[in-house]
Amino acid sequence: MIDTPSVDWLALSPSLALLGGAAIALLASVIGPRWTRTGVAAGAAFAGFVGAAVFGAVVFDQTPSPEILLNGSLARDQLAAMAQVILGVTGAAVVLLAWTERRDAVAGEYYALLATAGAGMAFFVSAENLMTLFLGLEWFSLCLYVLVAMDRERATSLEAGLKYLIVGGFGSAVLLFGSALVYGATGQIGFGEIASANVTDSAFLFAGLAMILGGLAFKVSAAPFHMWTPDVYQGAPTSVTSFMSAATKTAAFVAMLRLLVTAFPDQSDVWTIAVAVLAAVSLAWGNLAALAQRDLKRLLAYSSVSHAGFMLMAVAANSERGGASLLYYLVPYSAMSVGAFAVVAARERELQRPVTFESIAGLGWERPLYGLAMWTFMLGFAGFPLTGGLFGKLFVFSAAYDAGYWWLVIIGVVATAVSLAYYLNVVRWMYMRSGTELRVAVAGGSPPRDSALGAAVAVCVVVTVGSFFFVQPILDAATDAASSLPF
């Protein structure tokens, strides 16, 4: 008899739901009637993401204490489950955003790759050893490389795909080599086993830790590992950019937190300083570079670098409060990112060209609902009241201050003040300029209707504002999730 490991199908259900949606989307693009292919593929991907969010919520509710599965390969805990809920809702909103955009010959492949990338991220956040960590990373990264270059008729999309492939491949190689060094120093690949090896003074171990941290910094767009971000965000299809800005950060930050806290507790005096420095550099670089941008996708790209700095502050705190603040921050940030890119996508479809400050002149008067939504997202990014961005930054600052990083809190406050210059500039252009020469001529004087995109924007506004009024339930869930880690 061959002993086979028992499989916890509920723990794998978020990834399996997305893989099922991807399979249906791919089959629909091959065997279904031509007129139904796009709708069926998009519906399957949407159902997969919603299913992943629902299954993640069920796992969260039914997993009071962490469990290690498949011979130490995966963790079933509330940390991974909450991340899977965020990923599922994010992906569902992105499918709505792309519903009208992706009606071409490769629509089925697009939605299949999007769902497969989501499945890889859902797997990645529960990785419990270096092998599954790398497997999950490559799983969703390969899908994103193709998605970025999906618009084959646009040279900018192909260029962005090539840049992302080269830089992302390099980042993955750095992480893999770092994992090899850690294995060489400890003889273990499991996160808990690496910590139990009690290797504290090995140069190989510290070099491996540095390389792993650098590889993950590529994925979260932390400066100075962000060099790919502006070009890729600008060149990729806007729906793909929105998915990368929110979902990739969620997956990479949760995996980074789990890895550092679980595998390297004895080296915390080193990696906390390194993460704090990365946070400071990201805050400074992201905000200063955003001031010089006129293309909105590039501006939002540098904004994402800045927000990576805020989230790195929570990781550097190395505490349960830091973990909870990170998870809370990811909720409004994901909604604001997807929503902001959705408004950009709406303007792109109207004007059929890249969206700059001049392109959004008068948007607040021409499209009142989109203008109000974009206003909400910009204020949320800046941390204004009535948006979850306010509490997100307060919780991160509190965790960093409790950990002794008062200087990092000061940098964060200054960075927030600097960010007002470009966030409020977006609002100024929407309402302070007439934009008469850019008005879209539509028969009957009505704007083109895109119900799916409008629904995505509405969901993002609800989450952005709702995370302010329902802060305590979200924070309680984030605290429970953070308690899964051995701080």
Side-chain angles (χ1 to χ4, degrees):
M1 297 294 293
I2 299 176
D3 292 331
T4 59
S6 60
V7 178
D8 187 337
W9 296 107
L10 182 60
L12 296 174
S13 58
S15 292
L16 294 177
L18 284 163
L19 289 176
I24 295 173
L26 199 57
L27 285 173
S29 68
V30 176
I31 63 176
R34 185 175 298 276
W35 61 275
T36 66
R37 290 178 182 178
T38 298
V40 172
F46 182 81
F49 279 110
V50 172
V54 171
F55 283 127
V58 172
V59 173
F60 185 95
D61 182 65
Q62 297 188 8
T63 311
S65 59
E67 301 176 23
I68 306 301
L69 309 174
L70 298 175
N71 294 326
S73 299
L74 296 175
R76 172 178 167 174
D77 57 18
Q78 292 182 328
L79 176 67
M82 184 169 182
Q84 288 161 351
V85 172
I86 297 173
L87 290 169
V89 176
T90 299
V94 171
V95 171
L96 292 176
L97 189 167
W99 202 293
T100 303
E101 177 188 68
R102 305 309 312 192
R103 292 191 176 276
D104 50 21
V106 295
E109 290 83 350
Y110 170 86
Y111 290 112
L113 285 168
L114 194 68
T116 304
M121 293 175 183
F123 179 88
F124 183 62
V125 296
S126 61
E128 189 61 23
N129 65 33
L130 295 175
M131 181 181 66
T132 50
L133 181 80
F134 182 74
L135 177 62
L137 179 71
E138 288 304 289
W139 180 345
F140 73 80
S141 294
L142 290 173
C143 298
L144 292 177
Y145 297 151
V146 181
L147 285 169
V148 169
M150 184 66 77
D151 286 349
R152 296 168 295 176
E153 70 280 0
R154 290 195 304 116
T156 53
S157 179
L158 296 174
E159 179 185 353
L162 182 60
K163 287 181 179 178
Y164 191 36
L165 173 63
I166 294 172
V167 178
F170 180 76
S172 297
V174 169
L175 185 145
L176 181 61
F177 191 50
S179 300
L181 291 178
V182 170
Y183 175 72
T186 64
Q188 304 290 339
I189 61 172
F191 294 167
E193 288 76 10
I194 291 172
S196 300
N198 292 322
V199 179
T200 58
D201 57 353
S202 170
F204 280 153
L205 181 66
F206 284 102
L209 172 58
M211 297 182 76
I212 291 174
L213 185 58
L216 291 174
F218 274 104
K219 290 301 176 184
V220 301
S221 302
F225 302 97
H226 72 291
M227 71 290 293
W228 59 272
T229 308
D231 292 337
V232 173
Y233 276 31
Q234 183 181 25
T238 304
S239 56
V240 177
T241 303
S242 68
F243 186 70
M244 292 172 61
S245 67
T248 303
K249 270 188 169 52
T250 297
F253 269 112
V254 170
M256 177 188 292
L257 182 68
R258 181 191 297 279
L259 170 69
L260 294 176
V261 171
T262 306
F264 301 102
D266 295 332
Q267 292 75 34
S268 60
D269 56 334
V270 175
W271 64 255
T272 51
I273 293 294
V275 172
V277 171
L278 286 176
V281 175
S282 298
L283 289 168
W285 205 320
N287 283 291
L288 293 177
L291 291 173
Q293 306 305 313
R294 300 196 68 81
D295 184 281
L296 255 64
K297 290 174 74 173
R298 290 186 71 88
L299 184 148
L300 292 173
Y302 281 110
S303 169
S304 77
V305 175
S306 169
H307 283 279
F310 288 111
M311 287 181 264
L312 285 168
M313 291 172 63
V315 177
N318 188 27
S319 64
E320 188 172 313
R321 174 175 287 190
S325 64
L326 171 64
L327 292 170
Y328 177 88
Y329 199 107
L330 286 168
V331 173
Y333 171 78
S334 297
M336 293 183 294
S337 292
V338 174
F341 281 111
V343 176
V344 171
R347 198 58 166 172
E348 278 182 343
R349 294 171 194 178
E350 292 177 0
L351 302 179
Q352 295 298 310
R353 57 176 167 175
V355 177
T356 62
F357 283 137
E358 291 77 9
S359 303
I360 62 169
L363 177 66
W365 307 116
E366 294 177 22
R367 307 287 184 264
L369 296 181
Y370 286 158
L372 181 61
M374 194 64 157
W375 189 2
T376 303
F377 301 139
M378 293 300 105
L379 295 183
F381 280 136
F384 274 70
L386 302 186
T387 69
L390 171 67
F391 287 117
K393 290 188 178 182
L394 286 178
F395 293 153
V396 166
F397 290 161
S398 175
Y401 183 81
D402 286 348
Y405 293 112
W406 58 267
W407 55 273
L408 195 53
V409 175
I410 293 175
I411 294 175
V413 171
V414 173
T416 299
V418 172
S419 71
L420 296 178
Y422 58 88
Y423 288 136
L424 296 183
N425 195 29
V426 174
V427 178
R428 181 180 72 86
W429 273 93
M430 287 194 302
Y431 289 98
M432 299 302 181
R433 301 297 177 98
S434 66
T436 304
E437 71 281 5
L438 292 168
R439 293 184 185 277
V440 181
V442 180
S446 299
R449 296 183 62 84
D450 190 337
S451 300
L453 189 147
V457 173
V459 168
C460 293
V461 170
V462 168
V463 174
T464 301
V465 178
S467 57
F468 177 85
F469 290 99
F470 297 96
V471 57
Q472 195 59 52
I474 299 173
L475 184 61
D476 289 343
T479 302
D480 291 341
S483 66
S484 302
L485 296 180
F487 287 106

